[in-house]
Amino acid sequence: MRKGKQQLPKGYILNDYRISEVIGGGGFSLVYRAYHIVSRAKVVIKEYYPTDITYRLPGGRIMPVSDDKEREYNIGIKRFFDEAHALAKVNHPNIVNVSNVFRANNSVYMVMDYKQGPDLRAYIKRHSGALSEKFLRTVFPQVLIGLRALHNRNLLHLDVKPANILIRPGGRPLLIDFGAVQRYTENEKSARTQTLTIGYASIEQHEKGYLGPWTDLYGIGATMYSCIAGTPPPPATDRLARDRISPTTERWSRRYSQELLEAIEWCLQVDGDDRPQSVNELLECCFADDEEEETSTPLPAEANSRWRLPLAWLRSRS
């Protein structure tokens, strides 16, 4: 197998953009910080680069490592291109904007707005968890509504976690980082390598099971758990053998409402069939009075809303 430097170098000119640095990457992509040469606007560029089956030529062009990998590579390019175009059509204030999609270097590139600001991880670290219920009710309905805009186009984020939620003034969240995004098809198992963040990834991501909106909702539950605990829940693989989530959340019953803690547990069910099956299901049960899709103003105080969780799995516990 041919080997060489994977990433594009600093200063590399890619169409209308100049590369500043590599900021991330996974099994099938590299992510760069860059800027538009004319406007000087900072952007994030995601490059299709499946590391196991490709190498890069001097000058930047990407090639399959062998002839028998060419078909796999071309299928991946088409999938990446289709997913990037679908993301570009998602226009929502709680989802980072995809501004451009183009082909170059025998690959595909997706350009996203570069957004700075504190992420939810910083809030959790600053307060060692223990974020208020009012804060959670302000942030998470908006994140869910943005996530629903993705799901409505059959797209899954697959890496929902505190580091991927920026908090803007007024408690307005922005879901960022589409490095793991995939299309999903009902009743079809994932055959692709997953980008996993331990603690926030569901069991079906670890085991290449059936992915769907319930998979992203596991990430939502794990992120809400981190907001109160200060750390993510145990890895989903560990919870298969012994699940300690339920008795753990009971520790916070004096600070948080039973409805909130039960909502977190619902999202964190190990079996995907036992979780909410859609964003709407979670919103209608848990945030019905808080949903403010047409405005970015903070949500009502917790005294003005009631949570309702008519859940079969909860009834079975009593």
Side-chain angles (χ1 to χ4, degrees):
M1 181 182 294
R2 302 174 179 87
K3 294 184 179 180
K5 194 170 184 178
Q6 292 184 349
Q7 68 268 23
L8 295 173
K10 180 179 179 180
Y12 184 91
I13 296 177
L14 180 66
N15 280 25
D16 298 328
Y17 308 92
R18 188 184 295 272
I19 300 297
S20 299
E21 62 177 336
V22 178
I23 58 174
F28 63 94
S29 66
L30 291 171
V31 183
Y32 305 91
R33 184 171 61 84
Y35 63 89
H36 192 275
I37 294 171
V38 175
S39 70
R40 313 296 290 183
K42 292 181 180 179
V43 297
V44 172
I45 300 178
K46 179 183 174 184
E47 174 188 49
Y48 177 65
Y49 190 101
T51 55
D52 290 343
I53 63 170
T54 57
Y55 69 101
R56 194 186 299 277
L57 294 172
R61 186 174 177 84
I62 298 170
M63 298 295 292
V65 294
S66 61
D67 291 342
D68 62 343
K69 293 296 183 181
E70 185 172 1
R71 183 175 181 274
E72 180 182 349
Y73 179 67
N74 289 334
I75 290 172
I77 282 181
K78 183 180 185 305
R79 183 190 296 123
F80 187 98
F81 188 79
D82 290 344
E83 290 171 353
H85 265 287
L87 280 167
K89 295 176 182 178
V90 177
N91 182 16
H92 194 277
N94 301 123
I95 298 290
V96 70
N97 180 55
V98 175
S99 59
N100 194 7
V101 179
F102 61 90
R103 298 197 63 160
N105 291 334
N106 194 34
S107 186
V108 178
Y109 297 85
M110 178 172 66
V111 183
M112 295 164 279
D113 293 350
Y114 178 75
K115 297 293 184 180
Q116 290 181 293
D119 57 39
L120 186 53
R121 176 181 51 184
Y123 281 75
I124 293 170
K125 183 177 181 180
R126 185 184 309 157
H127 298 279
S128 300
L131 297 177
S132 72
E133 183 156 340
K134 181 179 179 180
F135 179 89
L136 269 64
R137 290 189 176 185
T138 298
V139 169
F140 282 95
Q142 297 178 72
V143 174
L144 285 166
I145 292 166
L147 200 56
R148 182 172 63 189
L150 288 181
H151 293 173
N152 285 345
R153 293 192 176 274
N154 290 337
L155 294 169
L156 301 173
H157 188 280
L158 297 181
D159 199 19
V160 177
K161 59 185 179 183
N164 286 340
I165 300 174
L166 298 186
I167 305 297
R168 296 169 291 178
R172 296 177 299 118
L174 182 71
L175 187 60
I176 63 170
D177 193 346
F178 294 143
V181 72
Q182 288 187 29
R183 281 188 178 275
Y184 75 94
T185 303
E186 191 173 357
N187 298 324
E188 182 176 310
K189 286 188 176 182
S190 173
R192 294 166 59 177
T193 300
Q194 296 290 315
T195 298
L196 298 177
T197 302
I198 301 301
Y200 299 98
S202 65
I203 192 65
E204 61 267 23
Q205 290 174 272
H206 286 274
E207 299 183 348
K208 293 188 177 180
Y210 294 101
L211 305 181
W214 53 89
T215 306
D216 279 340
L217 293 177
Y218 187 95
I220 289 287
T223 300
M224 288 196 291
Y225 179 98
S226 294
C227 287
I228 67 176
T231 59
T237 48
D238 292 353
R239 296 180 58 215
L240 274 176
R242 185 177 183 184
D243 188 7
R244 301 181 178 181
I245 289 294
S246 294
T248 299
T249 54
E250 291 173 4
R251 290 175 12 210
W252 297 291
S253 59
R254 293 186 179 182
R255 180 177 176 86
Y256 301 97
S257 68
Q258 180 182 353
E259 292 87 353
L260 173 61
L261 297 175
E262 289 174 348
I264 294 172
E265 287 187 33
W266 188 23
C267 290
L268 283 176
Q269 293 300 294
V270 176
D271 190 332
D273 289 341
D274 292 333
R275 294 178 222 139
Q277 297 300 290
S278 68
V279 168
N280 280 343
E281 187 174 0
L282 184 60
L283 284 171
E284 289 167 5
C285 287
C286 308
F287 295 94
D289 298 328
D290 291 339
E291 188 176 349
E292 294 285 318
E293 184 165 8
E294 300 303 323
T295 179
S296 60
T297 57
L299 296 171
E302 62 185 52
N304 294 331
S305 63
R306 297 299 300 166
W307 293 50
R308 297 175 296 281
L309 294 172
L311 313 178
W313 73 270
L314 280 175
R315 289 196 296 270
S316 68
R317 294 170 59 200
S318 57

